[in-house]
Amino acid sequence: MSINHRSEGLLGRRGLKIAPSVLAADFGRLRQEVQAAEKAGADLLHLDVMDGHFVPNITIGPDIVAAVRAAVSIPIDSHLMISRPRDYVKRFADAGADIIFIHVESEGDTAETLGHIRECGAAAGITLNPETPLDAVRPFLGMADFALVMTVRPGFGGQKFMASELAKAKAISAMGKPVAIDGGVGPLNARACVENGAEILVAGTSVFRGGDIAKNIAELRKAALGGS
């Protein structure tokens, strides 16, 4: 199966993309929050999936992904911070995830899991944690459509941005792979992310927590593009 049209659209459109992280949204108003982000110009939505084992937190499952898919027309990704992602790929693809990110640190055959993601109609993404060396993902970059560099330790939102990880993003971008950066991203570091190769900025707290969502996205995009 080829990847779906929303995934193809993202791959065919290089340049800056803002991906609000839904984990920071008000889940009591989830539909309104994600629709507000879409209306404000978000390019895609990022959904963090945690199993309480791979990371010390439990968040959402396929049903929430399906609810977000039904609420918006922009692409959505599912970031699988779970121990055995291969077992759940099809469920998240069927729920509407256009990109599925897995961790190189997770259990199972990474190459096989990346291939299975594409077989299920989603684009495949490979992710690495701050403690993980770049060499750990090099063998898989050719099998992935996107790479996701974590600039915080995964598990909880609102952490401090780790600028030391930007070197990994720059190196992966130089290999020609679209790079997303996730963790502590906001107006103060957005430009540095872009200058180091990021095309997708995943931002939760800086978009959904405090102020107007549209204003927050506009300020983040302006900062990323070098506006004052």
Side-chain angles (χ1 to χ4, degrees):
M1 180 186 296
S2 62
I3 62 175
N4 66 48
H5 68 281
R6 288 183 298 267
S7 300
E8 288 179 341
L10 282 173
L11 285 166
R13 181 168 56 89
R14 303 298 293 264
L16 176 66
K17 302 171 188 69
I18 303 296
S21 178
V22 174
L23 183 62
D26 179 352
F27 272 59
R29 302 178 62 256
L30 183 59
R31 184 178 183 86
Q32 297 96 312
E33 295 262 283
V34 298
Q35 288 178 339
E38 178 178 35
K39 185 177 180 180
D43 299 283
L44 67 156
L45 294 171
H46 181 86
L47 285 86
D48 289 311
V49 179
M50 307 180 193
D51 64 357
H53 184 261
F54 183 74
V55 292
N57 196 8
I58 297 174
T59 55
I60 67 170
D63 288 347
I64 297 296
V65 174
V68 173
R69 173 73 283 149
V72 300
S73 60
I74 57 176
I76 61 177
D77 77 65
S78 289
H79 177 190
L80 303 189
M81 288 176 270
I82 61 179
S83 294
R84 302 189 306 277
R86 171 63 175 81
D87 295 347
Y88 298 93
V89 162
K90 189 174 189 305
R91 290 184 64 187
F92 283 97
D94 288 349
D98 301 298
I99 308 169
I100 296 177
F101 287 101
I102 64 167
H103 276 256
V104 70
E105 305 90 355
S106 62
E107 299 172 14
D109 185 323
T110 299
E112 195 275 337
T113 302
L114 290 169
H116 183 53
I117 292 170
R118 292 183 60 88
E119 289 171 358
C120 290
I126 188 70
T127 309
L128 72 164
N129 286 338
E131 296 85 358
T132 303
L134 179 61
D135 284 347
V137 298
R138 286 183 191 275
F140 307 109
L141 290 174
M143 309 169 198
D145 300 296
F146 298 91
L148 176 62
V149 175
M150 296 298 300
T151 45
V152 299
R153 292 178 178 85
F156 296 91
Q159 297 182 60
K160 185 178 179 180
F161 179 82
M162 300 169 68
S164 59
E165 299 308 300
L166 292 178
K168 294 176 184 174
K170 187 172 185 177
I172 294 171
S173 177
M175 300 175 202
K177 191 63 58 180
V179 176
I181 289 183
D182 180 9
V185 174
L188 295 180
N189 53 43
R191 185 60 186 165
C193 292
V194 172
E195 288 174 343
N196 283 277
E199 294 188 27
I200 300 174
L201 299 183
V202 178
T205 300
S206 63
V207 169
F208 287 112
R209 300 282 176 87
D212 178 79
I213 291 173
K215 181 181 178 182
N216 293 342
I217 290 177
E219 289 180 351
L220 181 62
R221 191 183 302 277
K222 183 177 180 180
L225 295 175
S228 57

